[in-house]
Amino acid sequence: MAAITGEWAAALKPEFSKPYYRTLYEKVREEYRTHTVYPPSGDILNAFAFTPLEKVKVVILGQDPYHEPGQANGLCFSVHKGIEIPPSLVNIYQELHDDLGLRIPDNGDLTPWAKQGVLLLNTVLTVRAHAANSHRDIGWETFTDAAIKALEREDRPIVYILWGRPAQAKEALITNPKHLVIRSPHPSPLSAYRGFFGSRPFSRANAYLVSHGIEPVDWQIPDSKEQSWQTAERK
């Protein structure tokens, strides 16, 4: 498991010495030793690595990582380029298109959001292959609660986008009056038509940021070829 650095490390340091975290750490090590577990161990904490605490302006909470081969990359709802876009992310992209008129991209890599200050955090950070929710209640929920509490101490506007019941269970922790909560059903095919479609979370988040003088998120995910071209241009 990669180390957490920067302000996240300072904010979460007390967790590492608590009994629950020591138990969690040993459980996760044993799971990786004896089962196929996702994401790769070096990617477990990518949400914190890609989005420093001081840069967070939007939080999207997921449930647990994708549990099929090659999908999970440590950012909720995101997959690496070249991996088929999962159904929940297909629906997220559809709502993004309907909300802001953006082009639906050819890949599911949400890293550009993370690098703009969108914390893509699952409530549980690991999962056994082919077994959704298999690492529920082993301690990750307490750890991600601590991350949200750290964000709640930030005296600046932050938007929380809570999709589905596991994410909405965290709402009780969100008490800072400068923070906005946007709630809707989960984008999975089982629930997207119950109120996720039409909820307009992206425009609502940006409107709140702009109203407080904060640069809005560019929600457009570049196509794979466009990303490659941009990378070449920077070299």
Side-chain angles (χ1 to χ4, degrees), residues 187-202:
S188 78
L190 296 175
S191 56
Y193 287 94
R194 300 174 187 168
F196 172 77
F197 288 129
S199 61
R200 302 180 65 85
F202 308 102

Side-chain angles (χ1 to χ4, degrees), residues 18-233:
K18 293 180 179 178
Y20 91 86
Y21 188 84
R22 291 196 292 270
T23 300
L24 168 64
Y25 183 82
E26 292 303 323
K27 174 66 173 176
V28 170
R29 284 187 62 186
E30 179 67 9
E31 284 286 295
Y32 274 90
R33 189 180 69 82
T34 58
H35 298 84
T36 299
V37 176
Y38 301 124
S41 60
D43 291 342
I44 294 173
L45 300 174
N46 273 353
F48 303 106
F50 287 22
T51 311
L53 174 58
E54 65 274 19
K55 300 293 185 182
V56 175
K57 53 188 175 183
V58 176
V59 181
I60 296 179
L61 287 179
Q63 178 174 287
D64 63 343
Y66 295 125
H67 52 81
E68 296 302 325
Q71 291 183 317
N73 64 9
L75 305 176
C76 73
F77 297 107
S78 177
V79 295
H80 291 298
K81 290 188 288 291
I83 300 297
E84 183 178 359
I85 300 174
S88 291
L89 186 51
V90 169
N91 288 339
I92 291 169
Y93 282 167
Q94 185 60 55
E95 177 61 19
L96 185 59
H97 171 74
D98 295 343
D99 186 4
L100 294 174
L102 300 184
R103 180 186 72 255
I104 295 176
D106 65 359
N107 69 93
D109 183 2
L110 303 183
T111 302
W113 291 358
K115 291 186 175 180
Q116 292 181 75
V118 180
L119 182 68
L120 297 169
L121 183 66
N122 281 309
T123 58
V124 172
L125 301 186
T126 56
V127 67
R128 279 189 192 179
H130 319 300
N133 279 327
S134 50
H135 284 181
R136 180 177 57 189
D137 296 331
I138 68 170
W140 281 127
E141 294 90 344
T142 304
F143 185 74
T144 52
D145 279 357
I148 292 173
K149 291 174 183 176
L151 287 166
E152 283 300 285
R153 295 191 290 269
E154 294 291 299
D155 189 32
R156 53 190 169 83
I158 294 175
V159 179
Y160 290 83
I161 298 176
L162 308 182
W163 289 329
R165 290 181 182 177
Q168 290 166 13
K170 301 283 195 182
E171 187 171 359
L173 302 174
I174 305 169
T175 59
N176 190 320
K178 293 186 177 180
H179 296 176
L180 173 70
V181 174
I182 298 173
R183 308 166 80 251
S184 80
H186 194 276
S188 78
L190 296 175
S191 56
Y193 287 94
R194 300 174 187 168
F196 172 77
F197 288 129
S199 61
R200 302 180 65 85
F202 308 102
S203 62
R204 291 164 64 191
N206 275 356
Y208 189 77
L209 295 174
V210 170
S211 73
H212 288 83
I214 300 171
E215 185 177 357
V217 177
D218 178 1
W219 295 104
Q220 180 67 69
I221 295 295
D223 285 335
S224 299
K225 290 182 180 179
E226 184 179 354
Q227 288 178 334
S228 299
W229 177 83
Q230 289 173 341
T231 301
E233 283 289 300

